[in-house]
Amino acid sequence: MSDVLLHVDEIEVRYGAIKALKGISFEVREGEVVALLGANGAGKTTTQQTVSGMLRPSLGQIVYEGRRIDGIPAHELINLGICHVPEGRRVFPRMTVHENLEMGAFRFKRPDPKLFAHVLELFPRLEERIKQQAGTLSGGEQQMLAIGRALMGKPRLLLLDEPSMGLAPLIVKQIFDIVREVNAEGVTVLIVEQNAAQALGLADRGYVLETGEIVLTGTGRELLADDRVRAAYLGEE
Ligand code: ATP
């Protein structure tokens, strides 16, 4: 059994009076891909944003590499190797592809040229468009750029929020293939997805969220075969 890299323990997160997470717990082990699934509004993005330091839990704790990190802001967590690819990608639209990738390495004195070359190898499409303004890229290219930018920060834990959102199936497949490759290179991944079939095909384990609570957990294969998951998230009877 590999070591636990991230342990989320009974966290509650509120938006004013609304309790978006009602005390959820899960763990991510070193080297795993873990998927968080659930319908709209279940709390997936809230969970991801809490792990990445954008939100603070009102109760509970988050432990990463054996130290407590809840309450530490996102820009400091990047220094611990927690890199977040937010929902909706959020590339810097007026900067070029090249400049966006360099921004991902801001925690270092200068971007690592070997890593830069490797990211372009993973995403040849970005290399072709290296001087293009990021805001003019297609949705799929922007997603690739957002992931590439996060990789430039040398993540130990990569947080991906709905990487498939709004993208054509072929692009989704390419992106998931690259996530698989990045994971094989040693990066641990926590992925939030509405696209349960794709995410569970990739994930070692998954957790299903429903209105701020975890209602189901299992290996990717177990969840894919689970009748409740099939009915609710794979559109089957
Ligand atoms: P989706 O797949 O639609 O993005 P999700 O599972 O990621 O959904 P969250 O975005 O985490 O869900 O939202 C969880 C709950 O918290 C929802 O009821 C949502 O309306 C509420 N919520 C999210 N952000 C805010 C906010 N800034 N202010 C108030 N309520 C919020």
Side-chain angles (χ1 to χ4, degrees), residues 50-104:
T50 309
V51 172
S52 76
M54 292 162 69
L55 294 171
R56 227 173 228 262
S58 43
L59 284 176
Q61 57 176 15
I62 304 176
V63 175
Y64 169 76
E65 291 178 329
R67 70 182 266 207
R68 208 162 153 183
I69 59 158
D70 45 283
I72 299 182
H75 64 271
E76 285 178 31
L77 290 183
I78 289 173
N79 288 324
L80 302 179
I82 300 183
C83 299
H84 184 204
V85 180
E87 192 173 16
R89 318 191 262 258
R90 310 272 171 85
V91 295
F92 301 109
R94 290 180 185 282
M95 290 185 171
T96 64
V97 168
H98 191 146
E99 288 163 344
N100 267 273
L101 291 174
E102 284 187 343
M103 290 298 284

Side-chain angles (χ1 to χ4, degrees), residues 6 26 37 44 48 67 85 94 120 157 162 192 198 225:
L6 178 79
F26 63 94
L37 310 172
K44 305 180 297 295
Q48 196 75 298
R67 70 182 266 207
V85 180
R94 290 180 185 282
L120 294 184
L157 176 64
E162 305 241 10
V192 156
Q198 291 276 358

Side-chain angles (χ1 to χ4, degrees), residues 15 18 20 38-47 87 161-162 192 194:
Y15 297 105
I18 299 167
N40 280 317
K44 305 180 297 295
T45 295
T46 301
T47 306
E87 192 173 16
D161 198 344
E162 305 241 10
V192 156
Q194 281 205 45

Side-chain angles (χ1 to χ4, degrees), residues 142-156:
Q142 288 191 19
Q143 185 64 62
M144 292 176 190
L145 180 56
I147 296 173
R149 184 180 58 185
L151 294 178
M152 288 300 294
K154 294 193 184 166
R156 183 159 182 213

